[in-house]
Amino acid sequence: MILSVDQLEKTYRGGVKAVRDVSFDVDAGELVALVGESGCGKTTTLKCINRLLEPSAGRVFVEDEDAAGLDPVALRRRIGWVMQGDGLFPHMSVGDNVAVTLRLLDWAPKEVTDRVDALLELVRLDPAQFRDRGPGTLSGGQRQRVGVARALAAGSNLLLMDEPFGALDPITRDALRRDFVALQRRMGFAAVMVTHDMAEALLMADRIAVMHAGEIVQYDTPKVLLNAPGHAIVRTMLENPLHEADAVQALKAEAGRDDV
């Protein structure tokens, strides 16, 4: 098991419980999506996994090691992190952005160069064309690809992603989703993705944890969620993508009749 979250809780000052009794596992090659409305605890859960926030209770195991017993900086260096808006350093080249963690880990210069070029190729960016460019010269989709390459730089077996595709236009978002899923299948790393977009979760994830008021109210495969939503919040979150799909099908059928 790459990641095991067991009865995780996070309580803020004043006794506000942002996360309560959250448990789930992620195996190699799996993508788990944390879905829910704003303020439901999904991003807090993600940050507790790599100890950007310290859990108040519960345990997190990363590759069978208790995260609480690891140095938090070392822990974060072994877990890839992809955020909305990419988080690239604007004063660094693409290559230097990808190489940040490698240099912190004291990789030899030649190894860093080879690894950066290999990663850029993996995310479908030609190293000769993109290595020395600044982030400001890239499109949103290209910047997010660099962010994924940086997250994978140290050979992480686990990626955490916070709304990674939310700021992109629909065409770019769809292409990047497809490429990410293909890359994950090829490399076999585990991933946890926070998203408010149920359609995105249904299309990408192996399992979906629907959160409400800090708790997981249903944790199932996309097929089970669609066929047997077990909570009112799940049904509500499914309404929009299902309504949009029905509306598109209705428009398509109407257009077909008009062509006759």
Side-chain angles (χ1 to χ4, degrees), residues 42-87:
K42 54 190 187 294
T43 295
T44 299
T45 298
L46 201 71
K47 290 181 177 180
C48 284
I49 291 171
N50 68 357
R51 294 179 62 193
L52 281 171
L53 293 173
E54 289 294 339
S56 304
R59 304 176 77 183
V60 174
F61 294 90
V62 177
E63 296 178 285
D64 298 323
E65 291 188 81
D66 191 337
L70 301 173
D71 176 78
V73 174
L75 174 68
R76 289 192 282 274
R77 288 178 184 173
R78 66 187 276 189
I79 299 175
W81 179 267
V82 183
M83 66 188 76
Q84 183 177 6
D86 65 64

Side-chain angles (χ1 to χ4, degrees), residues 86 130 133 135-145 168 172:
D86 65 64
F130 289 95
R133 289 174 60 177
T137 69
L138 307 181
S139 69
Q142 289 167 343
R143 290 169 63 94
Q144 204 64 312
R145 289 175 188 273
L168 303 174
T172 302

Side-chain angles (χ1 to χ4, degrees), residues 89-94 96-97 100 133-135:
F89 297 110
H91 62 288
M92 292 184 180
S93 69
V94 165
D96 286 340
N97 266 282
V100 164
R133 289 174 60 177

Side-chain angles (χ1 to χ4, degrees), residues 17-176:
K17 280 198 171 184
V19 173
R20 60 183 77 204
D21 197 26
V22 165
S23 299
F24 62 91
D25 297 325
V26 191
D27 211 344
E30 279 193 312
L31 193 157
V32 168
L34 305 181
V35 183
E37 71 274 15
S38 297
C40 71
K42 54 190 187 294
T43 295
T44 299
T45 298
L46 201 71
K47 290 181 177 180
C48 284
I49 291 171
N50 68 357
R51 294 179 62 193
L52 281 171
L53 293 173
E54 289 294 339
S56 304
R59 304 176 77 183
V60 174
F61 294 90
V62 177
E63 296 178 285
D64 298 323
E65 291 188 81
D66 191 337
L70 301 173
D71 176 78
V73 174
L75 174 68
R76 289 192 282 274
R77 288 178 184 173
R78 66 187 276 189
I79 299 175
W81 179 267
V82 183
M83 66 188 76
Q84 183 177 6
D86 65 64
L88 301 181
F89 297 110
H91 62 288
M92 292 184 180
S93 69
V94 165
D96 286 340
N97 266 282
V98 176
V100 164
T101 302
L102 303 178
R103 289 179 176 141
L104 289 171
L105 294 172
D106 293 323
W107 282 40
K110 178 66 165 59
E111 292 177 326
V112 170
T113 299
D114 291 345
R115 180 66 172 167
V116 167
D117 286 357
L119 286 163
L120 290 175
E121 289 176 352
L122 273 176
V123 297
R124 300 188 10 169
L125 294 175
D126 180 5
Q129 181 181 352
F130 289 95
R131 184 194 312 114
D132 298 321
R133 289 174 60 177
T137 69
L138 307 181
S139 69
Q142 289 167 343
R143 290 169 63 94
Q144 204 64 312
R145 289 175 188 273
V146 176
V148 171
R150 182 176 62 183
L152 292 169
S156 303
N157 290 322
L158 174 63
L159 259 62
L160 306 180
M161 307 192 296
D162 190 8
E163 301 279 4
F165 312 122
L168 303 174
D169 66 86
I171 294 175
T172 302
R173 185 166 64 241
D174 184 61
L176 199 50

